[in-house]
Amino acid sequence: QKNVCLTSWRIKVMDGNTAICVEGKRKDMKDLSWHSNAIMERIAHNQVKTSSGNIYLLQGNIDSASMRKEGFPYRFIKRFTYGFSKKWKEYVEEFLEEIRR
């Protein structure tokens, strides 16, 4: 297990619209663009754990501009502005259901 630190992070929907991952720039790799495996749990508002067991540290606020460009609704982005809240799973489920329709 390792901690991966991401800056200018955002949420991406994974194939099949069944899960989300986080994407951003990795400081330890000269700001290489990077995305995680599926997010499984929240450790803290700025720490999430993926299906592969890695822990992602999210630095700063969500990159809402790029998420708007990708068509995410403002309401959804706003809920993640400062990271993952305790109700993140509900928000994601609700959102994924909407786009699967």
Side-chain angles (χ1 to χ4, degrees):
Q1 285 183 356
K2 57 177 189 285
N3 283 2
V4 181
C5 186
L6 292 182
T7 58
S8 38
W9 61 277
R10 57 188 180 269
I11 291 169
K12 300 277 276 190
V13 175
M14 299 184 78
D15 296 344
N17 299 337
T18 54
I20 59 155
C21 65
V22 285
E23 183 178 271
K25 295 186 171 127
R26 275 186 74 157
K27 274 211 161 111
D28 61 342
M29 292 187 176
K30 297 190 170 74
D31 285 343
L32 179 79
S33 193
W34 187 265
H35 71 89
S36 71
N37 286 84
I39 303 296
M40 298 316 253
E41 63 174 294
R42 167 198 186 270
I43 296 165
H45 74 95
N46 62 344
Q47 275 187 299
V48 289
K49 193 173 186 177
T50 66
S51 54
S52 60
N54 288 340
I55 290 168
Y56 280 78
L57 303 170
L58 309 172
Q59 279 198 332
N61 295 345
I62 199 164
D63 179 356
S64 52
S66 70
M67 285 187 66
R68 290 292 295 152
K69 272 191 202 120
E70 288 181 18
F72 280 87
Y74 174 72
R75 193 173 50 116
F76 179 79
I77 301 167
K78 208 172 83 180
R79 290 171 161 173
F80 290 90
T81 304
Y82 306 111
F84 281 66
S85 73
K86 289 197 169 76
K87 294 173 81 171
W88 76 274
K89 267 194 163 132
E90 285 172 45
Y91 299 151
V92 168
E93 276 307 304
E94 188 185 303
F95 173 65
L96 293 176
E97 265 171 39
E98 277 171 31
I99 57 177
R100 279 196 297 254
R101 260 179 222 145

